[in-house]
């Protein structure tokens, strides 16, 4: 059975043209005039743009955190992602202290297998940098996981020392892996948190006040310096701060293989959200925190000028009821994270394309093509081309969509963007040749998502 899509306008990171698509065996078989002849079924995409399915390079499905678990799993998470035009999620497997890398990765394969509603790849969080872990990075890479995340925050849980980080950078550089960094100075932050609690400050806003932007800028600069000494590439996750953007911009201007990621929450929300009445500020407790508006403006400029390369979500949802509430009397006990996997493409089209900050091609590049390239999934994912997976978003630029927890598909009881109306509407989503989203209808199923192997890093 082949699927045809006719009369649409195909948009990639570099091209824009009208053509028909013929899809066979989950892949794009042909693009051109009349190639859908004989296909069954045929979708008419008249008036619609066709984007490559989005690649969200930063999700946390079923992540244990602070005595609870992120509320989307591999069934609800990728399904919500698909409704928002994202057909591949790169989730973070976790090696905890005392475990081998293999144990950590296997635990995440078990969470996804038979359950995933969409395609997924993995990064691996390395909490225990030791001789064995460094040796094991090779076999993990042979199994299709080629990016490793380290932390400069969360002392005692995830934080690695500079020496450990440096050794991991050297090892990744030698193997063709890519180190991702959570860049915040966790030791300084821990002191500020203890001092705030000792002074009786318990409200959610203190989460932000104890994680200053300079702590992120300093760590970002330090991480890049260590990568330069190690002659290894580095990818900075969830950047929020002007200081951090400046550090990445300076490194890129010098020709270093340094990549920066930001997330919609840092572009569309701000520190003011922490001042919402009652305990509402807890909705936005995430690390790093939301910043003052001028930081958001700096991040938009960095996206316009290729100083930042990727917009991902750091999707890590916790319900207000019973989960965020764990920190009612202590901001440091609020589970860190927020939902977003469903809203990334909608928000970026609106704020980027509809509001005139960049064009359609840059939108595709930062939401699909760049993450697919940087994490070794391209050209299978991240573009529309013969031989690529048929992951497609049929998008009506004339439509609109209002974001709300009442209608979203994420398994969480609030939406940080509640009530916002965005320009453009996702009409249909195709994943490996299968129509999985048709308007409000879900046509996919649990277990249909596949693990996608990442190739070793090549310079993007
Ligand atoms: Zn994260």
């Amino acid at each position: 059975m082949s699927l045809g899509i006719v009369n649409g306008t195909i948009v990639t990171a570099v091209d824009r043209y009208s053509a028909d698509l013929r899809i066979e065996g989950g892949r794009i078989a042909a693009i051109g005039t009349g190639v859908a002849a004989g296909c069954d079924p045929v979708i008419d995409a008249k008036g619609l743009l066709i984007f490559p399915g989005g690649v969200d390079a930063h999700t946390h499905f079923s992540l244990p955190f602070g005595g609870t678990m992120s509320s989307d799993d591999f069934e609800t998470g990728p399904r919500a992602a698909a409704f928002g035009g994202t057909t591949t999620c790169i989730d973070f497997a976790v090696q905890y202290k005392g475990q081998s890398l293999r144990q950590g990765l296997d635990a995440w394969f078990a969470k996804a297998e038979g359950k995933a509603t969409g395609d997924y790849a993995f990064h691996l969080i390395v909490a225990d940098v030791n001789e064995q872990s460094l040796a094991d990075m090779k076999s993990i890479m042979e199994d299709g996981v080629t990016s490793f995340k380290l932390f400069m925050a969360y002392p005692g849980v995830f934080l690695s020392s500079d020496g450990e980080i440096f050794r991991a950078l050297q090892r990744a550089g030698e193997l063709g892996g890519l180190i991702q960094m959570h860049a915040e100075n966790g030791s300084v932050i821990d002191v500020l948190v203890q001092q705030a609690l000792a002074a009786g400050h318990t409200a959610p806003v203190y989460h932000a006040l104890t994680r200053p932007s300079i702590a992120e800028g300093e760590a970002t600069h330090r991480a890049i310096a260590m990568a330069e000494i190690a002659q290894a590439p580095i990818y900075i996750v969830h950047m929020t701060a002007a200081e951090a953007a400046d550090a990445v911009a300076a490194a890129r201007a010098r020709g270093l293989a340094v990549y920066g990621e930001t997330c919609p929450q840092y572009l569309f929300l701000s520190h003011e959200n922490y001042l919402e009445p009652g305990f509402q500020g807890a909705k936005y407790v995430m690390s790093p925190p939301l910043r003052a508006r001028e930081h958001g403006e700096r991040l938009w400029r960095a996206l316009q000028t290729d100083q930042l390369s990727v917009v991902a979500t750091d999707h890590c949802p916790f319900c207000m009821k019973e989960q965020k509430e764990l920190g009612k009397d202590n901001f440091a006990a609020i589970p860190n994270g927020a939902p977003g996997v469903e809203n990334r493409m909608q928000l970026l089209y609106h704020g980027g394309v509809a509001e005139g900050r960049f064009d359609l091609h840059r939108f595709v590049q930062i939401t699909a093509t760049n993450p697919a390239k940087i994490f070794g999934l391209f050209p299978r994912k991240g573009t529309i081309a013969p031989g690529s997976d048929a992951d497609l978003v049929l998008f009506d630029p004339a439509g609109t969509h209002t974001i709300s927890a009442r209608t979203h598909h994420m398994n969480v009881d609030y939406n940080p963007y509640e009530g916002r109306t965005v320009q453009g509407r996702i009409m249909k989503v195709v994943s490996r040749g299968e129509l999985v989203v048709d308007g409000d209808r879900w046509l996919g199923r649990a277990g249909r998502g596949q693990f996608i192997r990442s190739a070793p890093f090549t310079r993007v």
Side-chain angles (χ1 to χ4, degrees), residues 282-304:
K283 291 174 179 172
Y284 315 99
V285 167
M286 60 186 81
S287 296
L290 303 178
R291 306 291 186 192
R293 286 189 180 281
E294 51 268 31
H295 289 277
E297 288 309 314
R298 176 70 184 87
L299 297 173
W300 277 117
R301 281 203 304 283
L303 286 171
Q304 289 172 314

Side-chain angles (χ1 to χ4, degrees), residues 205 271-278 281:
V205 68
H271 181 86
E272 290 162 33
N273 290 99
Y274 293 115
L275 306 175
E276 290 177 13

